[in-house]
Amino acid sequence: LASYECIFACQAITGGKVVIEVYFFGFHIHQETHDLCEETSCPITVGNFVLSHNQVLPGFTPPGSYKLKMTLSGSGIKQLTCISFDFKISFGASESSVSDSRSAHQVYI
């Protein structure tokens, strides 16, 4: 599962964290925290930048409706932005597939 977000920074960002939360049919099932500078190059200068994150799903991931919520915070700033999107996991005849219901996200911070 990959997430790519096009983001615009109104001020330089020297560090922070990315919190990723996953919900299954509305129930919180997973959370992890990453260093912002490991997800994108720091310092982040004013203007557009891309945040990319790949996630390997467990060997068995139940089919159904999921929501991914990604919150970015900066050094000394409680929350820069919050991005969320819904996706579904379904089983085909011999393989599983992941589809998301989002289009390209553009977020301003």
Side-chain angles (χ1 to χ4, degrees):
L1 181 62
S3 175
Y4 300 94
E5 306 301 336
C6 176
I7 303 172
F8 183 86
C10 297
Q11 61 185 9
I13 302 168
T14 57
K17 66 180 180 175
V18 178
V19 177
I20 298 171
E21 298 176 87
V22 179
Y23 297 84
F24 179 60
F25 287 110
F27 293 99
H28 187 264
I29 60 166
H30 181 73
Q31 180 174 324
E32 57 190 60
T33 302
H34 300 273
D35 185 291
L36 179 61
C37 296
E38 291 177 8
E39 300 291 313
T40 192
S41 298
C42 285
I44 300 167
T45 58
V46 174
N48 291 328
F49 70 96
V50 174
L51 176 68
S52 173
H53 180 79
N54 291 312
Q55 185 72 42
V56 176
L57 299 175
F60 176 75
T61 302
S65 297
Y66 291 81
K67 175 178 283 226
L68 184 135
K69 179 180 172 185
M70 184 183 302
T71 306
L72 286 86
S73 61
S75 300
I77 304 170
K78 197 168 201 172
Q79 182 174 318
L80 295 168
T81 190
C82 179
I83 304 156
S84 68
F85 62 89
D86 298 321
F87 64 96
K88 291 184 179 181
I89 295 178
S90 59
F91 290 121
S94 62
E95 61 184 52
S96 64
S97 65
V98 176
S99 63
D100 68 46
S101 60
R102 70 184 177 98
S103 57
H105 291 287
Q106 190 166 9
V107 181
Y108 300 95
I109 54 177

